[in-house]
Amino acid sequence: MVSFFSQKVREKTDLIRELSLKHSLELNGKSAGSSRPQTPAAFGLKTGVYQSVQSMVEAELKAGLVNYSYRTNSGSRTLLRLHRSLNWLKMLLEGLSEGPDSEGRYKTPGELGRDAYKVALAPHHHWMLRQAAEIVFLALPDREYFLQLVCVQKQEEASPVLRIIVHALSLVHTRTQRILEKYNMLELP
């Protein structure tokens, strides 16, 4: 599941890189098919219109790549999907950082993932995908597996590390949320 999630994030970031390259080449009057392999800087991620979320959104709106009525292949739409997934991950990690309930029981990663999914992603997924997600949550590894992912052995060690990670994710989520709200992009199809 972790590798599946990572693969989906990689696919979406690769798509934004490809769109950045295509946009940069079009601005320079070259065709995307005639270019040689580009370095990340050449993708426009450091110097072009895709150097920030704000500049990407503005450039795509100006170029007519974003439509509020139907799906388009845009970095803004792809970013929105990443933004929702980031919220899910943040909520899952927040749950993993919490202590036990009043009875001394920790929620399982499956329970935490399901709770976060219902808030962050389920409202944007069709019925079939929501049902498939339920199966995934049943198959999530135990809490110890997730603790090892953040290089700790015990819950007591994990909580401070997870809080730092959650704080960083929250900063990114909040900044992106503001930009997407500013341009009314939180419900792109």
Side-chain angles (χ1 to χ4, degrees):
M1 188 286 224
V2 172
S3 66
F4 174 77
F5 184 76
S6 298
Q7 176 191 349
K8 289 298 181 187
V9 168
R10 204 171 355 219
E11 286 172 7
K12 286 177 176 34
T13 55
D14 286 348
L15 176 60
I16 291 174
R17 282 190 181 98
E18 289 170 19
L19 291 169
S20 173
L21 174 60
K22 181 180 175 188
H23 194 88
S24 295
L25 292 173
E26 286 171 359
L27 288 176
N28 293 325
K30 299 176 186 174
S31 84
S34 68
S35 68
R36 55 190 162 92
Q38 302 287 313
T39 64
F43 278 127
L45 296 176
K46 292 186 179 179
T47 59
V49 295
Y50 282 63
Q51 68 181 345
S52 70
V53 171
Q54 179 86 26
S55 63
M56 176 188 72
V57 167
E58 289 174 354
E60 288 191 344
L61 284 169
K62 185 177 177 182
L65 298 175
V66 178
N67 190 294
Y68 293 92
S69 301
Y70 59 87
R71 284 175 79 164
T72 59
N73 194 21
S74 71
S76 298
R77 181 181 178 283
T78 303
L79 177 69
L80 175 61
R81 270 73 188 156
L82 285 168
H83 178 67
R84 291 172 180 164
S85 296
L86 179 70
N87 193 33
W88 174 82
L89 178 62
K90 179 181 75 80
M91 293 170 69
L92 173 68
L93 295 177
E94 282 172 335
L96 285 171
S97 74
E98 295 171 358
D101 62 18
S102 60
E103 298 170 4
R105 181 183 167 278
Y106 288 95
K107 280 191 167 183
T108 68
E111 292 167 325
L112 296 170
R114 179 180 297 110
D115 292 347
Y117 179 79
K118 286 178 182 175
V119 172
L121 297 171
H124 310 286
H125 288 165
H126 55 78
W127 181 86
M128 185 68 82
L129 190 53
R130 289 193 306 266
Q131 301 313 304
E134 285 297 320
I135 295 168
V136 170
F137 298 130
L138 293 173
L140 280 180
D142 61 17
R143 183 176 279 266
E144 288 72 30
Y145 175 83
F146 286 93
L147 297 182
Q148 289 175 1
L149 286 178
V150 293
C151 302
V152 298
Q153 300 299 316
K154 300 177 186 173
Q155 180 65 42
E156 300 78 31
E157 299 169 341
S159 292
V161 172
L162 288 169
R163 282 201 268 317
I164 291 168
I165 295 169
V166 166
H167 176 71
L169 295 177
S170 295
L171 291 174
V172 172
H173 187 269
T174 299
R175 289 177 183 168
T176 306
Q177 180 82 12
R178 283 188 195 130
I179 294 168
L180 292 172
E181 281 176 352
K182 178 180 176 180
Y183 294 97
N184 298 315
M185 291 187 167
L186 289 173
E187 296 301 325
L188 288 177

